[in-house]
């Protein structure tokens, strides 16, 4: 059950930044953090920091502490988070597993999940073609959707199953992204039934982020455009679980000048440490990030608070300046 709120809280903007501690934050991550913070503060809202560390094999030792240090060094603050607590604690996903089990059980009782014994290679082989525009691979063809009890027992002897969400027949999701504009996706045709818990027992991002955003009462999601293709799946889960839906703003990514690819912690894209060592100040970094969005003139040095004061416009004016 979603925690109750007072009438004042119900109308308050609640934004969040939710990094994964798989490496140090690079400039692309930091720009998203700045924009998420700015969007919440422009609306006199609450800003929440959540650490998404469910994929433990990829978590780097000390990464969470370095991320918090870097964000505070830049001058960003948050009202609720892993270091300061809050009414919806804990704010670290690996400490929230009981919530995921609760809502997974709700889906199970509604017959909306089923075990899948397919490997990734088998799905690629079975699919007629990779799904156009999908970043998560080919559409799942429904191989295990209607297996009999006996077939499931036989396959369970060979492979531990993942759990997939049974996408309803009518699954066209439409929403208005504050940056991308109107978005429409037929989840069944584009993605198919999708994983909510992996075969190794780790809850999938698509599922955990919905439960966390709902229970933390997040109503404004500002994140990178690389996650735009995930929004329809998440909105489908919001609706099935009876959760209020947040607004979305998917921001453009910073690209690597040398490779032309988006910055990635996995690829070791440069974090703040070498910039600090080279004498860069928080005002330098914030100025560069804000300039890259067209919010201030090139060469301006300022803190996040000064940027907030300098904007003097609404959230929607900011969004109108940022294009994908």
């Amino acid at each position: 059950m979603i925690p109750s709120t007072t009438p004042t809280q119900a109308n308050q903007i609640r934004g969040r930044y939710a990094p994964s501690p798989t490496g140090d934050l690079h400039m692309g991550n930091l720009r998203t953090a700045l924009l998420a913070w700015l969007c919440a503060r422009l609306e006199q809202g609450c800003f929440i920091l959540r650490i998404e560390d469910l994929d433990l094999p990829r978590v780097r030792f000390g990464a969470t502490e370095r991320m918090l240090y870097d964000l505070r060094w830049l001058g960003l603050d948050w009202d609720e988070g892993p270091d300061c607590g809050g009414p919806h604690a804990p704010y670290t996903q690996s400490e929230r597993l009981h919530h995921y089990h609760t809502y997974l059980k709700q889906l199970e009782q509604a017959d909306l999940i089923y075990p899948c014994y397919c490997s990734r290679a088998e799905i690629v082989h079975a699919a007629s073609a990779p799904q156009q525009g999908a970043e998560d691979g080919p559409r799942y063809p429904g191989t295990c959707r209607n297996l009999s009890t006996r077939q499931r027992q036989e396959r369970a002897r060979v492979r531990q199953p993942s759990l997939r969400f049974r996408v309803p027949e009518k699954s066209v999701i439409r929403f208005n992204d504050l940056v991308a504009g109107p978005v429409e996706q037929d989840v069944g045709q584009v993605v198919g039934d999708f994983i909510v818990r992996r075969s190794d027992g780790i809850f999938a991002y698509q599922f955990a982020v919905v439960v966390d955003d709902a229970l933390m009462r997040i109503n404004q999601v500002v994140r990178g455009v690389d996650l735009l293709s995930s929004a329809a799946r998440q909105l489908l889960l919001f609706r099935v679980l009876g959760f209020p839906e947040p607004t979305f703003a998917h921001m453009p990514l910073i690209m690597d000048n040398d490779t032309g690819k988006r910055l990635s912690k996995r690829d070791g894209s440069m974090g703040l440490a070498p910039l600090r060592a080279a004498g860069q100040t928080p005002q330098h970094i914030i100025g560069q990030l804000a300039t890259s969005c067209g919010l201030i003139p090139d060469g301006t040095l300022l803190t996040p608070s000064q940027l907030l004061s300098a904007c003097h416009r609404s959230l929607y004016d900011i969004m109108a300046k940022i294009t994908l």
Side-chain angles (χ1 to χ4, degrees):
M1 181 178 294
I2 301 177
S4 61
T5 60
T6 65
T8 300
Q9 291 173 324
N11 297 324
Q12 183 185 45
I13 288 294
R14 290 180 57 84
R16 51 84 161 169
Y17 181 58
S20 298
T22 55
D24 293 340
L25 297 174
H26 54 63
M27 292 292 278
N29 302 137
L30 294 169
R31 186 171 76 171
T32 300
L34 175 62
L35 290 170
W37 178 89
L38 185 64
C39 289
R41 295 309 191 206
L42 276 170
E43 302 293 313
Q44 292 78 49
C46 187
F47 189 59
I48 294 92
L49 180 68
R50 183 173 72 231
I51 301 301
E52 299 193 338
D53 65 341
L54 282 181
D55 197 349
L56 291 176
R58 291 183 55 216
V59 171
R60 302 274 187 89
F61 178 77
T64 295
E65 291 74 19
R66 291 194 299 273
M67 290 192 303
L68 268 60
Y69 176 81
D70 284 348
L71 292 169
R72 289 203 182 279
W73 182 78
L74 284 176
L76 298 176
D77 64 337
W78 45 92
D79 304 291
E80 303 169 22
D83 57 338
C84 58
H88 308 292
Y91 293 88
T92 300
Q93 283 191 329
S94 59
E95 300 173 12
R96 299 178 57 81
L97 299 181
H98 60 291
H99 290 306
Y100 311 141
H101 283 292
T102 295
Y103 287 98
L104 187 71
K105 186 69 173 178
Q106 183 173 322
L107 293 180
E108 182 182 21
Q109 291 173 342
D111 194 29
L112 287 173
I113 58 173
Y114 63 88
C116 172
Y117 304 90
C118 300
S119 68
R120 182 178 292 270
E122 288 170 339
I123 294 171
V124 172
H125 180 73
S128 58
Q131 173 57 47
Q132 182 178 2
E135 297 183 358
D136 301 324
R139 174 185 178 275
Y140 179 65
T143 307
C144 296
R145 195 179 219 258
N146 298 309
L147 294 180
S148 66
T149 300
R150 181 177 179 180
Q151 288 173 315
R152 287 176 179 173
Q153 291 172 343
E154 291 174 349
R155 297 193 182 199
R157 297 191 188 102
V158 179
R159 180 175 290 138
Q160 186 72 19
S162 60
L163 294 178
R164 288 187 181 270
F165 175 72
R166 191 186 299 274
V167 175
E169 184 177 343
K170 295 181 179 180
S171 58
V172 176
I173 300 295
R174 299 179 181 88
F175 67 99
N176 187 58
D177 188 272
L178 296 182
V179 178
V183 176
E184 178 178 314
Q185 185 186 93
D186 186 329
V187 179
Q189 291 300 314
V190 173
V191 180
D193 298 341
F194 54 89
I195 291 175
V196 292
R197 195 181 72 187
R198 298 178 353 189
S199 60
D200 57 7
I202 294 176
F203 286 97
Y205 165 78
Q206 310 293 353
F207 177 68
V209 73
V210 168
V211 173
D212 287 339
D213 281 347
L215 297 187
M216 293 180 184
R217 295 197 166 274
I218 303 300
N219 52 22
Q220 182 191 84
V221 175
V222 177
R223 59 188 184 184
V225 72
D226 54 319
L227 293 171
L228 179 59
S229 65
S230 299
R233 275 169 281 176
Q234 291 163 22
L235 283 169
L236 185 56
L237 286 173
F238 273 108
R239 295 173 188 181
V240 165
L241 291 169
F243 293 148
E245 300 171 21
T247 60
F248 287 98
H250 288 87
M251 300 295 184
L253 305 178
I254 295 180
M255 310 305 286
D256 188 302
N257 290 331
D258 296 326
T259 66
K261 299 179 179 179
R262 67 185 178 94
L263 300 180
S264 170
K265 285 183 287 186
R266 187 179 300 181
D267 297 333
S269 297
M270 186 171 63
L272 282 182
L275 299 178
R276 276 195 294 263
Q280 293 279 303
T281 66
Q283 291 85 353
H284 281 107
I285 304 300
I286 294 297
Q288 292 171 28
L289 296 174
T291 297
S292 71
C293 301
L295 301 181
I296 57 173
D298 191 11
T300 306
L301 279 64
L302 76 179
T303 66
S305 295
Q306 290 169 334
L307 175 62
L308 185 63
S309 299
C311 282
H312 290 304
R313 9 178 176 172
S314 73
L315 166 65
Y316 298 98
D317 290 334
I318 296 291
M319 296 301 162
K321 282 187 68 73
I322 300 173
T323 56
L324 294 178

